[in-house]
């Protein structure tokens, strides 16, 4: 199979592998497959409004809006009355038990998602919600709630008061995009953005089982970026995720978004450019590029910036509707994978309208680092037909699954080198609005793909919110 390498320059490019037709011979391990095993309803009337082309209950960058821990699955959403709800069920059960928190969604803004995390050190459930470049709301459960769920009552009394700090720790007043990630030792880290779009910094806080500590910002917004059309002097790094691998290394794929629209030269696109990658071997205290060079230290002035060398693993200018905050995962060997999406160059050298151009010509790509250290990029041969994001999970055999807008699923086998991407499920019977919220923890624990989706509606008419389950290869 022929491969072409992106033009050499000051950054390192991924090798692009065209996806062949379906039917490629697989290896001895089973290839990707999905078997639908059931659907449950969380809420027949969940809040519904479209903002920033998304829904507040189903933004795929939530980490986590749906998670599994010790045989129970947990979900979070806002009801038609705007109440924040947390629900749980024994995995595979058909009914959910709900708890309504003492908080109501304050604005019709799809950024104001609910995210959950588990602190293994004390068995608590942690929840942040309702923020977009302003203050956040935080709740945590009593200790041990998640350690013995079958014998623990699920009532409002197990949750503490809603706070606007992390147990007294004051973070930035410009808070967005909370993502919880558990460390190998059982600590819980909270990733978030300080600042605003086009002028923001990524930061970390950490919970050790007794108290929260602010680790600080690890990216910077300064420096000059110049495209063929113009320059920008402020930006923010949008994360595709933040995840620990089997060896305890922390991985983060990202895109940059520039403040100045001058870099697009069109005025109708979006200022996202390049896919970058960094990792940390010391729990997020320092950050290194793909070559292992130190590029940032958390909580200091020496943060990761756009002018640092060796960050970009897939170069792309701000002319192709590159999506931010897509998806990432690590495989059983600790190798990083991501899904990115944009309008390929074959559809024109420049895009002019983000939503219409992505909907007409957008494609998702699988970007990964192979065992030899080479970055490889494969187009997934399923048109997006949407401006929205695609999720990524890997099964126990390291087969890859892309969960596309409206709940469509495509898969590729590890044995083919991930070159045999093909459709597995068309999602036509879901009536899903667009992005879905994936339970990555259940994939790892049980080999089951669960995702939360909301049915399409009109205007602000509430609609049903569901969780659908698929068995992956055993």
């Amino acid at each position: 199979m022929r491969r072409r390498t992106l033009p050499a320059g000051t950054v390192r490019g991924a090798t692009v592998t065209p996806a062949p037709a379906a039917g490629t011979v697989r290896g001895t391990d089973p290839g990707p497959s999905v078997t639908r095993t059931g659907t449950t309803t969380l809420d027949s009337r969940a809040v519904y409004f479209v903002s920033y082309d998304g829904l507040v209950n189903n933004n795929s960058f939530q980490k986590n809006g749906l998670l599994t821990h010790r045989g129970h699955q947990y979900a979070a959403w806002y009801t038609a009355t705007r109440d924040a709800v947390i629900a749980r069920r024994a995995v595979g059960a058909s009914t959910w038990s709900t708890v309504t928190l003492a908080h109501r969604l304050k604005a019709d803004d799809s950024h104001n998602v609910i995210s959950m995390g588990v602190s293994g050190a004390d068995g608590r459930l942690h929840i942040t919600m309702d923020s977009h470049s302003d203050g956040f709301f935080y709740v945590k459960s009593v200790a041990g709630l998640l350690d013995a769920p079958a014998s623990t009552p699920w009532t409002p009394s197990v949750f503490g008061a809603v706070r606007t700090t992390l147990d007294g720790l004051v973070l930035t007043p410009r808070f967005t995009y909370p993502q919880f990630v558990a460390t190998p030792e059982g600590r819980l880290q909270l990733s978030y953005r300080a600042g605003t779009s086009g002028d923001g910094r990524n930061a970390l806080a950490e919970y050790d089982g007794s108290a929260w500590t602010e680790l600080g910002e690890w990216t910077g917004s300064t420096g000059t970026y110049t495209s063929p059309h113009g320059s920008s002097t402020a930006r923010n790094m949008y994360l595709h995720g933040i995840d620990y691998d089997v060896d305890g290394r922390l991985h983060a794929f990202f895109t940059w978004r520039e403040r100045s629209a001058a870099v697009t030269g069109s005025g109708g696109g979006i200022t996202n450019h390049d896919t970058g990658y960094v990792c940390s071997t010391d729990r997020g205290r320092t950050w290194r590029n793909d070559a292992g060079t130190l590029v940032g230290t958390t909580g200091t002035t020496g943060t990761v910036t756009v002018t640092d060398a060796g960050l970009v693993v897939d170069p792309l200018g701000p002319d192709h509707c590159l999506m931010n905050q897509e998806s990432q995962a690590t495989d059983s060997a600790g190798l990083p994978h991501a899904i990115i999406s944009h309008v390929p160059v074959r559809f024109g050298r420049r895009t002019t309208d983000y939503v219409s151009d992505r909907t007409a010509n957008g494609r998702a790509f699988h970007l990964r680092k192979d065992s030899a250290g080479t970055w490889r990029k494969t187009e997934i041969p399923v048109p997006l037909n949407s401006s929205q994001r695609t999720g990524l999970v890997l099964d126990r055999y390291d087969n890859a699954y892309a969960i596309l807008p409206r709940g469509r699923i495509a898969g590729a086998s590890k044995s083919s080198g991930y070159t045999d991407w093909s459709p597995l499920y068309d999602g036509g019977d879901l009536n899903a609005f667009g992005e879905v919220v994936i339970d990555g923890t259940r994939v790892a624990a049980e080999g089951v793909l669960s995702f939360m989706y909301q049915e399409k509606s009109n205007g602000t008419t509430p609609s049903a919110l569901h969780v659908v389950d698929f068995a992956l290869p055993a």
Side-chain angles (χ1 to χ4, degrees):
M1 179 176 296
R2 295 194 306 165
R3 293 183 174 91
R4 64 179 179 87
T5 301
L6 294 175
T10 59
V11 293
R12 182 180 178 187
T15 298
V16 180
T17 307
T24 302
V25 176
R26 307 184 191 279
T28 56
D29 286 340
S33 66
V34 294
T35 302
R36 186 170 172 178
T37 59
T39 303
T40 57
T41 298
L42 292 167
D43 190 338
S44 61
R45 288 177 49 81
V47 70
Y48 187 98
F49 57 84
V50 179
S51 85
Y52 297 93
D53 205 30
L55 302 181
V56 70
N57 286 330
N58 280 93
N59 263 314
S60 64
F61 56 75
Q62 289 174 253
K63 190 179 180 78
N64 299 281
L66 186 67
L67 66 82
T68 296
H69 185 76
R70 296 201 174 185
H72 278 68
Q73 191 172 39
Y74 301 82
W77 72 94
Y78 298 103
T79 68
T81 54
R82 309 176 76 85
D83 291 294
V85 170
I86 309 297
R88 76 173 183 183
R89 65 168 175 170
V91 291
S94 59
T95 58
W96 296 76
S97 299
T98 62
V99 166
T100 301
L101 301 177
H103 181 78
R104 287 186 171 176
L105 178 66
K106 66 189 180 188
D108 284 357
D109 187 332
S110 64
H111 291 81
N112 293 32
V113 299
I114 305 175
S115 295
M116 300 182 290
V118 178
S119 53
D122 59 0
R124 295 182 193 265
L125 182 65
H126 301 252
I127 301 155
T128 63
M129 51 192 168
D130 207 358
S131 58
H132 183 199
S133 299
D134 55 9
F136 64 91
F137 299 87
Y138 168 72
V139 181
K140 72 177 182 183
S141 75
V142 297
L145 176 66
L146 273 63
D147 290 339
S151 60
T152 307
W154 186 251
T155 64
S157 63
V158 303
F159 291 97
V162 177
R163 304 183 181 188
T164 55
T165 66
L166 295 180
D167 293 338
L169 176 63
V170 178
L171 300 178
T172 172
R174 298 288 188 181
F175 180 99
T176 317
Y177 302 127
Q179 296 190 54
F180 287 107
V181 59
T183 73
E185 302 84 13
R187 297 186 178 193
L188 183 65
Q189 294 181 324
L190 175 62
S191 167
Y192 59 95
R193 185 187 72 188
T196 60
S197 178
D199 189 13
R201 287 85 52 205
N202 292 323
L204 288 171
E206 185 174 86
Y207 178 77
D208 65 2
S210 61
W212 282 97
T213 301
E214 185 176 10
L215 301 184
E217 297 176 0
W218 63 273
T219 71
S221 58
T222 59
T224 299
Y225 168 79
T226 302
S227 79
H229 312 296
S231 296
S232 176
T233 57
R235 70 205 43 83
N236 66 269
M237 176 194 286
Y238 275 103
L239 297 177
H240 290 312
I242 186 165
D243 297 280
Y244 282 97
D245 67 18
V246 292
D247 298 317
R249 184 167 55 169
L250 187 59
H251 301 260
F253 285 90
F254 62 88
T255 61
W256 294 108
R257 176 178 292 179
E258 299 299 321
R259 172 190 279 180
S260 174
V263 299
T264 66
S266 65
I270 197 165
T271 60
N272 295 341
H273 63 91
D274 297 320
T275 298
Y277 168 81
V278 289
C279 64
S280 174
T281 57
D282 56 7
R283 309 298 188 256
R285 271 64 174 179
T286 61
W287 297 89
R288 298 181 181 274
N289 64 18
D290 183 44
T293 303
L294 180 68
V295 290
T297 301
T298 302
T300 74
T301 57
T303 55
V304 182
T305 66
V306 74
T307 56
D308 288 322
L311 299 181
V312 176
V313 296
D314 187 55
L316 190 71
D319 295 327
H320 304 288
C321 295
L322 178 66
M323 175 53 89
N324 52 280
Q325 298 169 286
E326 204 115 22
S327 186
Q328 67 173 47
T330 60
D331 64 26
S332 61
L335 295 170
H337 299 241
I339 294 291
I340 66 172
S341 64
H342 59 82
V343 175
V345 175
R346 67 177 180 271
F347 292 108
R349 298 300 302 179
R350 292 170 60 187
T351 54
T352 58
D353 184 273
Y354 180 74
V355 172
S356 63
D357 286 344
R358 280 181 58 87
T359 302
N361 297 314
R363 298 292 187 273
F365 297 83
H366 179 207
L367 180 65
R368 68 184 180 94
K369 186 177 182 179
D370 68 17
S371 58
T374 301
W375 288 94
R376 301 195 177 276
K377 181 181 181 182
T378 304
E379 181 175 334
I380 299 172
V382 180
L384 287 179
N385 295 325
S386 169
S387 66
Q388 296 177 304
R389 298 174 179 88
T390 294
L392 171 68
V393 298
L394 304 175
D395 68 19
R396 66 187 60 188
Y397 300 101
D398 287 335
N399 298 312
Y401 300 80
I403 299 84
L404 295 121
R406 298 188 297 280
R408 296 168 292 158
I409 304 173
S413 65
K414 177 184 178 181
S415 60
S416 74
Y418 303 101
T419 61
D420 59 352
W421 282 97
S422 58
L424 300 176
Y425 173 69
D426 70 7
D429 56 341
L430 299 182
N431 191 34
F433 167 80
E435 293 179 18
V436 302
V437 175
I438 299 168
D439 184 347
T441 53
R442 194 173 181 196
V443 173
E446 302 177 8
V448 174
L449 171 60
S450 279
F451 62 78
M452 182 167 65
Y453 70 93
Q454 190 160 352
E455 292 186 21
K456 289 185 289 187
S457 186
N458 294 306
T460 58
T461 302
S463 66
L465 185 70
H466 306 283
V467 173
V468 61
D469 301 330
F470 297 86
L472 302 180

